Amino acid sequence: MSSKDDIDLKKKGSEHSGYTEDVDIPGLDSDGSSLKKEDYAIKPMIQELMEIHVRTEGKDIDEEEHKKREYFNKIVEKAAGETKIDEDRPVKEAEGSILYRIWSMVNKESPAPEDHVEKKVEYIELFYDLIFVYSLRTINAMFHSYEESFPPAEAILTFIFLTAVVMQIWMFTTMFFNRYGRKALRDYISILTNMYLLYYMASGSNLHFLDHYNRYHIAWALIMLNIAYRSWDKLRFAPRLDEIDKEILRNNVTILTFEFALIIISIPVYHLTGIVISPIALIVGYIGKLKEHTAYDKRPCDFPHFAERNLLLVILTFGEMIIGISGFFKEETGIWFNVSSFLVVIGMFLSYGFFYDNVLDHHKRTSGLGFLVIHVIMILAINSTTIALELMSRPLVPLFPKTIWMVITMTIYYICILSIERYAKEHFKFGFDSMAKIFLILAAYTGLMLIFGYNQAVGALTTVVFVFGIFFLFLRRHHIRLREMKVGGYIE
């Protein structure tokens, strides 16, 4: 450090001299060698800073390493400058502790944008999400009639289609209200209208949904038109819109109106020819939204709001899974099966919750489009796993096909969780080795289920071990990353 830096640090040190702070610092190398904890005690501020700083020059330090170490020293200086010690409390408990400051700076998320008021999830949005849980429940009900046989391909495709439609409505609504939703009467009326129309869709969301073709498709089309109208209304009347906002809203109007037209056209086409073309409208909607990513990249979403909305829907979907495993809690069912099914649900949920709390960067600057797509697929996987568990509780349904279904849905779910890593804090992203281990575990689980899945007790044990194995691998990897960061020492 320069003499000027030394003078500045001495001034800071004199303000807080006379206190000590015990430090657990692995690999500290300020003098070129490691120090043991029992040999290290921070005393006055000037000593503290001198001892915490790391070398930035040496034969073992290349250019990249030099930049990393310079970055760490910069954090130490900033932490020291912001340290405020409360004399009435022990330093270890004070927020002014320099180690607390360093840890907060290193482990922080991306900084929130300046002059930005974080959008909170409103009660009306939570109320709105409840209709999606009801919709998923009615879609799942189409499998209740399969007590002795595995559902045919037609039923599975219908299930995927109906779930994808519901999730598209949720995705489009969430994207709109994340950027342009306000506590306005017209926005509330729009949400409540869509809830009413979703009830009509849910009443026809079953294996015989073609018998309710008009009812289902008219409600679906009106929901698309409603969101398109809200986009037009914002474009026409909302103040302070720049060209990026106008581009996004114009694209919304175009895509949603086009999808509305395709859905309406599908009604006479079905009655005249018997051909169902509405899946084309669904695909066009998703593709059209994905093609908007350029405009969305220019105007990042309110990611904390996005993340919380997705978390709440995931929780509600897991709630549906809790209901789905009720078939295992019967007198004639062995206790192992209801315990194992409950543990599977818990293990899956813990993995997502761990990512949300510890790994996700809640202030990530992103369009949010990819994040939503991942969650659309994830909700479909969770809901499919619920069906697999329900079928598992029915002893007369052939074991092998429902075992394969379980393996496929679980694999998709964990791939989705790993995909969320794209939105993780920089320090907690998985490396190639960790990813390879996880995929090896997935491959091993698939192989074991194919070999031993004919025995339901062994399959249940394998699944429990698998979900908690993945969860504890996440925990271990996170713990290793924390140790690698070496709070109070060199941060990699």
Side-chain angles (χ1 to χ4, degrees):
M1 287 188 293
S2 65
S3 58
K4 181 179 182 300
D5 292 333
D6 286 338
I7 294 171
D8 290 341
L9 293 179
K10 287 176 182 177
K11 288 180 179 179
K12 294 173 184 175
S14 62
E15 296 175 7
H16 307 300
S17 59
Y19 73 87
T20 62
E21 183 172 354
D22 293 331
V23 189
D24 185 4
I25 306 179
L28 188 76
D29 66 347
S30 58
D31 60 354
S33 62
S34 298
L35 294 177
K36 296 180 181 179
K37 179 181 178 182
E38 55 268 21
D39 297 333
Y40 192 90
I42 293 175
K43 295 182 177 64
M45 175 69 74
I46 183 63
Q47 270 189 293
E48 179 178 350
L49 288 174
M50 293 293 287
E51 293 185 14
I52 288 182
H53 272 71
V54 295
R55 290 184 300 113
T56 59
E57 305 291 344
K59 294 181 179 179
D60 58 331
I61 300 176
D62 57 20
E63 183 177 352
E64 182 179 356
E65 185 79 2
H66 173 79
K67 291 179 180 178
K68 290 180 180 179
R69 294 178 177 235
E70 286 281 1
Y71 170 71
F72 174 72
N73 287 343
K74 182 179 178 181
I75 287 178
V76 171
E77 292 176 17
K78 185 177 180 181
E82 295 181 0
T83 299
K84 295 179 181 179
I85 300 300
D86 184 347
E87 296 180 356
D88 297 328
R89 297 165 59 198
V91 172
K92 284 186 178 180
E93 298 178 7
E95 291 187 357
S97 165
I98 190 169
L99 293 185
Y100 175 91
R101 289 286 179 180
I102 294 173
W103 171 245
S104 298
M105 292 176 184
V106 173
N107 192 35
K108 70 178 181 180
E109 300 167 339
S110 298
E114 294 182 6
D115 301 323
H116 173 73
V117 178
E118 186 175 305
K119 185 179 180 66
K120 302 295 183 182
V121 174
E122 298 179 26
Y123 67 88
I124 192 71
E125 295 177 279
L126 302 178
F127 187 56
Y128 182 56
D129 285 349
L130 294 177
I131 189 62
F132 291 96
V133 180
Y134 170 70
S135 298
L136 294 176
R137 181 71 251 177
T138 57
I139 293 171
N140 292 355
M142 73 170 63
F143 295 100
H144 289 173
S145 58
Y146 297 100
E147 295 288 343
E148 300 180 1
S149 61
F150 188 77
E154 179 185 0
I156 295 174
L157 290 175
T158 300
F159 165 76
I160 294 173
F161 169 71
L162 295 176
T163 305
V165 169
V166 168
M167 289 309 302
Q168 185 184 83
I169 293 171
W170 182 86
M171 175 182 172
F172 288 1
T173 306
T174 300
M175 293 187 73
F176 174 80
F177 281 93
N178 176 265
R179 286 178 169 83
Y180 306 109
R182 300 292 182 267
K183 291 183 178 180
L185 179 61
R186 283 182 290 184
D187 285 345
Y188 283 12
I189 291 174
S190 175
I191 286 179
L192 295 175
T193 300
N194 279 358
M195 286 185 69
Y196 179 78
L197 293 170
L198 276 164
Y199 266 112
Y200 272 93
M201 293 182 66
S203 64
S205 298
N206 52 51
L207 190 57
H208 307 290
F209 91 102
L210 293 180
D211 296 338
H212 313 280
Y213 199 96
N214 289 1
R215 179 189 185 99
Y216 183 90
H217 285 75
I218 289 174
W220 178 14
L222 289 176
I223 289 173
M224 293 295 107
L225 185 62
N226 184 13
I227 304 173
Y229 166 74
R230 291 302 301 129
S231 297
W232 175 85
D233 184 61
K234 292 289 181 181
L235 181 63
R236 179 69 178 80
F237 298 107
R240 297 184 298 277
L241 292 178
D242 59 19
E243 286 304 315
I244 299 174
D245 287 321
K246 291 177 181 178
E247 180 184 358
I248 291 173
L249 290 169
R250 281 194 293 265
N251 288 339
N252 281 351
V253 173
T254 301
I255 293 168
L256 294 168
T257 303
F258 186 54
E259 184 172 356
F260 160 79
L262 288 177
I263 297 168
I264 291 297
I265 291 171
S266 76
I267 296 175
V269 170
Y270 172 71
H271 288 296
L272 292 173
T273 66
I275 299 174
V276 180
I277 66 169
S278 54
I280 297 176
L282 177 71
I283 295 170
V284 166
Y286 275 119
I287 293 176
K289 189 59 66 175
L290 291 175
K291 286 180 71 65
E292 285 189 89
H293 71 88
T294 303
Y296 281 114
D297 283 340
K298 297 175 185 175
R299 174 71 72 243
C301 68
D302 191 318
F303 195 65
H305 176 265
F306 251 11
E308 190 173 358
R309 282 298 306 275
N310 282 275
L311 171 69
L312 293 170
L313 189 61
V314 168
I315 290 173
L316 291 172
T317 310
F318 270 109
E320 168 62 18
M321 187 181 287
I322 289 291
I323 297 172
I325 65 173
S326 60
F328 289 98
F329 289 80
K330 298 176 181 177
E331 290 186 6
E332 62 271 21
T333 305
I335 189 171
W336 166 243
F337 291 111
N338 55 55
V339 169
S340 61
S341 63
F342 183 72
L343 289 175
V344 166
V345 177
I346 297 301
M348 292 176 67
F349 178 73
L350 286 176
S351 291
Y352 182 85
F354 173 78
F355 256 71
Y356 183 88
D357 282 339
N358 300 286
V359 178
L360 188 66
D361 184 348
H362 291 261
H363 291 286
K364 188 84 172 177
R365 284 184 58 83
T366 172
S367 68
L369 197 55
F371 190 74
L372 277 181
V373 170
I374 291 170
H375 277 79
V376 166
I377 300 171
M378 181 184 289
I379 295 297
L380 179 59
I382 295 172
N383 210 33
S384 299
T385 305
T386 300
I387 301 301
L389 287 169
E390 289 183 357
L391 294 174
M392 284 288 185
S393 67
R394 301 168 192 170
L396 297 180
V397 177
L399 185 59
F400 185 75
K402 59 188 181 184
T403 298
I404 296 300
W405 189 342
M406 174 72 78
V407 170
I408 292 172
T409 58
M410 294 283 273
T411 301
I412 294 173
Y413 172 72
Y414 282 101
I415 288 176
C416 286
I417 287 185
L418 293 177
S419 300
I420 298 175
E421 193 217 23
R422 176 184 175 188
Y423 304 93
K425 301 173 189 176
E426 288 299 322
H427 294 294
F428 294 134
K429 288 189 174 181
F430 288 100
F432 176 79
D433 292 344
S434 296
M435 285 290 190
K437 289 178 184 177
I438 293 170
F439 279 103
L440 282 175
I441 293 174
L442 281 170
Y445 170 67
T446 302
L448 289 172
M449 290 294 281
L450 290 175
I451 296 171
F452 302 108
Y454 64 87
N455 185 315
Q456 191 163 348
V458 175
L461 175 62
T462 303
T463 303
V464 170
V465 172
F466 165 71
V467 296
F468 279 95
I470 292 286
F471 174 59
F472 286 118
L473 183 63
F474 290 162
L475 287 180
R476 175 169 172 75
R477 179 56 186 158
H478 184 257
H479 178 66
I480 289 172
R481 291 299 290 163
L482 291 181
R483 292 187 63 184
E484 287 175 349
M485 286 166 62
K486 300 176 184 177
V487 179
Y490 169 58
I491 301 171
E492 186 175 86

